[in-house]
Amino acid sequence: MIQTIRLGHLLREAVTTPYRNLVTRPTGAAVRGRIERALAESGCRTALLDFSDVDLLDLSCADEIVAKLLLVSAPCPDRYVVLWGLRDDQVEAIDHVLSHQHLAVAALAAEAAVLDVLGAVDGDARAAFGCVAERGPVSAGAVAEALAWAEARARAALDLLAARRLVRVAGGAFHPLLVA
Amino acid sequence: MTRIVEIPTSFDDRAMDHYAAAFGGWPAGERLLFDARGTTWVSPYGFVAMLTAAQAVAEARGERPILYLPASEDVRRYWARAGFLRHAAELFEVHGKVPRAPSGSSDTLLEVTPVRGSDDVHDVVGRVQEGASRILLEVGLEAKATIGFTMALSEACQNIVEHAGTTGWVAVQAYDWRRRLGTRVVVIAVSDSGIGFRRSLEPTQARRFGDRWSDATALEAAWIQNVSRFRDPGRGQGLAGIKRYLGRWDGKITIRSGTARLANVPAWDREDVPMTEQLPFFPGAQVQVILPALAPK
């Protein structure tokens, strides 16, 4: 089950501003609080955070919303977060704050067809993530073959992605996170 | 007794130290008289620095300072257009004919605006986005640079809310620097009368620096090491983001706090230096961001 959360909508609830800018830490904290409540009420495993009706996202707000949401949801192994509808500047802001905190999240940029990973992941994990995102559910062996790696290397990269909840493991295969 | 603070004829960041020296010490023991009768030009930095001084006096419960307005009517009208006089009236006993405030000049991206809380930051960012995008593009900034510019503005204003512990001011203006730099520039000036970088970082950083702890080392810790007074590891990224943005678009920042001034000096500025110490004290922190519209020649 996926729950889509429109950040622009939460922003309008959180602050009395006519603008669509996610700026300042207090705003970020208020929006994150609403996201956490929505997730707690829905019981969905995947939260799709929709940024498509947000204009500016500054670093402070990106940290309060995305980085802290990943940190607070870390104890929930079945909870996945995917960002959706991001513009280039928003991708950059989120990538910056997540890298700073050694965190990572799956994201689908506004013009993109497949998921990407933002934040701190090493080259192997990034390549394995791309393979899973493009091919759908795959085994470690299939990823190893596609990337011309030893299977142990592919498995290590995929296990890391699974531990960080960037891919889902089911039936012995690694699945890309669902966005629809 | 009254102490006269002569406002420089041309008041921008380069005249700041001369201006700061005129106060003698802080808190001011005497009533202050800001004499701007001979002033012919003030940058956003000058405007916010004047309001900051008056704010510091008010917070120290000093007597309301006197402000003699410029003798030139054109200059007074510019001050009104820039939004300075509206706020000056709350902090100064203003002497001189106050013109009615016409609408802002075409190069004013943001009038002098108070920053008291995060709602003000939203307002500043929204107004700049709404009104300034067209001007920024006219100035010659690329669309991507405009987004980064607004983000830098947001982070600079948030530093007041998060760290200063008091009210601050912001103003944004576009200038033609064709003779000086061969291009147009956009200038953000942000100032507050708060506790400054050294006191803000003292509880978490001073021990690490020992005897070297000063306004200068506090600025270095914030700018180079991205430290924050908060222990939250996500903090300290505002200045880091500004630094990255300025590096990409060849911009310049100066941060003055207490008795020190830090600058990241781009290649186009051959006059400035990265760090200046033992300056005349001035309360709070003053930040100026200069963004060239095109890569300077």
Side-chain angles (χ1 to χ4, degrees):
Chain A
M1 288 277 285
I2 301 169
Q3 181 170 19
T4 301
I5 298 174
R6 295 181 62 186
L7 295 202
H9 180 72
L10 295 190
L11 173 66
R12 282 191 292 280
E13 282 180 4
V15 295
T16 56
T17 170
Y19 307 111
R20 304 191 307 173
N21 300 316
L22 279 171
V23 295
T24 82
R25 285 194 177 272
T27 300
V31 168
R32 174 169 41 83
R34 283 172 162 76
I35 294 170
E36 287 172 16
R37 277 200 296 279
L39 293 177
E41 285 164 13
S42 80
C44 289
R45 289 172 64 186
T46 302
L48 191 68
L49 305 187
D50 178 0
F51 284 78
S52 60
D53 52 357
V54 170
D55 283 341
L56 186 74
L57 171 70
D58 74 8
L59 295 171
S60 300
C61 216
D63 183 65
E64 283 293 335
I65 296 175
V66 184
K68 288 203 167 63
L69 185 67
L70 294 175
L71 288 169
V72 297
S73 62
C76 314
D78 281 345
R79 171 66 51 78
Y80 301 93
V81 176
V82 180
L83 312 184
W84 190 81
L86 294 165
R87 290 197 324 253
D88 285 352
D89 54 295
Q90 295 167 342
V91 164
E92 204 172 305
I94 292 166
D95 189 59
H96 178 86
V97 298
L98 296 185
S99 297
H100 181 79
Q101 299 224 53
H102 309 291
L103 297 167
V105 72
L108 192 65
E111 308 283 319
V114 292
L115 284 168
D116 196 1
V117 60
L118 306 182
V121 287
D122 63 24
D124 277 9
R126 194 172 291 277
F129 181 92
C131 197
V132 175
E134 275 179 23
R135 292 164 182 249
V138 283
S139 65
V143 169
E145 191 181 332
L147 296 173
W149 290 353
E151 187 168 334
R153 181 180 173 188
R155 179 162 294 284
L158 290 164
D159 285 346
L160 178 73
L161 292 172
R164 299 180 76 172
R165 287 168 295 151
L166 296 167
V167 297
R168 211 163 39 84
V169 185
F174 296 87
H175 298 243
L177 300 183
L178 298 172
V179 292
Chain B
M1 289 287 288
T2 302
R3 184 179 191 95
I4 294 173
V5 177
E6 196 171 325
I7 303 303
T9 309
S10 181
F11 189 9
D12 62 9
D13 58 312
R14 291 172 296 185
M16 180 64 185
D17 300 332
H18 178 75
Y19 166 72
F23 292 92
W26 287 93
E30 313 151 279
R31 189 175 197 194
L32 298 173
L33 188 160
F34 290 61
D35 187 354
R37 284 176 294 185
T39 304
T40 55
W41 186 77
V42 174
S43 74
Y45 192 92
F47 283 133
V48 297
M50 284 192 280
L51 291 170
T52 296
Q55 177 80 26
V57 170
E59 282 166 7
R61 301 189 183 284
E63 195 172 356
R64 194 179 176 89
I66 295 164
L67 172 62
Y68 282 164
L69 293 181
S72 160
E73 189 182 342
D74 284 348
V75 178
R76 290 198 304 272
R77 287 167 72 146
Y78 172 64
W79 285 28
R81 271 204 313 275
F84 170 77
L85 291 182
R86 189 168 57 248
H87 303 296
E90 296 166 14
L91 294 166
F92 291 96
E93 181 183 304
V94 178
H95 291 245
K97 194 175 173 190
V98 178
R100 277 196 307 168
S103 56
S105 78
S106 60
D107 284 342
T108 299
L109 276 69
L110 182 74
E111 295 178 350
V112 175
T113 302
V115 178
R116 304 184 185 94
S118 62
D119 285 353
D120 291 327
V121 180
H122 272 278
D123 187 49
V124 162
V125 169
R127 279 164 55 195
V128 164
Q129 241 183 354
E130 206 171 56
S133 297
R134 177 185 55 80
I135 298 171
L136 290 167
L137 290 172
E138 277 174 19
V139 164
L141 282 188
E142 293 179 31
K144 268 188 177 176
T146 303
I147 294 168
F149 175 85
T150 315
M151 196 186 290
L153 176 67
S154 170
E155 298 292 352
C157 291
Q158 282 180 73
N159 274 343
I160 297 173
V161 179
E162 296 282 334
H163 304 291
T166 184
T167 297
W169 308 89
V170 57
V172 186
Q173 182 91 19
Y175 291 107
D176 195 335
W177 277 15
R178 284 185 210 284
R179 211 181 313 169
R180 185 171 163 187
L181 201 61
T183 186
R184 299 194 77 191
V185 297
V186 185
V187 177
I188 301 174
V190 178
S191 180
D192 67 75
S193 59
I195 59 177
F197 278 68
R198 184 174 56 78
R199 278 185 57 201
S200 173
L201 296 177
E202 206 153 66
T204 57
Q205 303 297 320
R207 186 180 295 176
R208 195 158 66 86
F209 286 85
D211 292 343
R212 289 178 51 240
W213 183 243
S214 65
D215 289 319
T217 48
L219 283 174
E220 282 176 355
W223 181 251
I224 296 168
Q225 298 161 30
N226 303 325
V227 301
S228 162
R229 72 190 172 105
F230 299 101
R231 295 193 189 277
D232 175 350
R235 294 287 186 144
Q237 295 190 62
L239 280 179
I242 294 174
K243 185 160 52 178
R244 204 167 54 134
Y245 171 69
L246 294 177
R248 183 177 302 170
W249 297 102
D250 213 12
K252 175 182 179 181
I253 188 170
T254 63
I255 309 172
R256 193 189 197 284
S257 185
T259 59
R261 177 181 174 276
L262 177 148
N264 84 319
V265 187
W268 50 261
D269 189 345
R270 297 195 178 119
E271 293 173 7
D272 212 340
V273 292
M275 177 62 76
T276 316
E277 296 184 64
Q278 297 180 324
L279 297 171
F281 177 83
F282 195 75
Q286 291 73 49
V287 176
Q288 178 170 264
V289 172
I290 301 173
L291 190 66
L294 304 166
K297 298 179 177 106

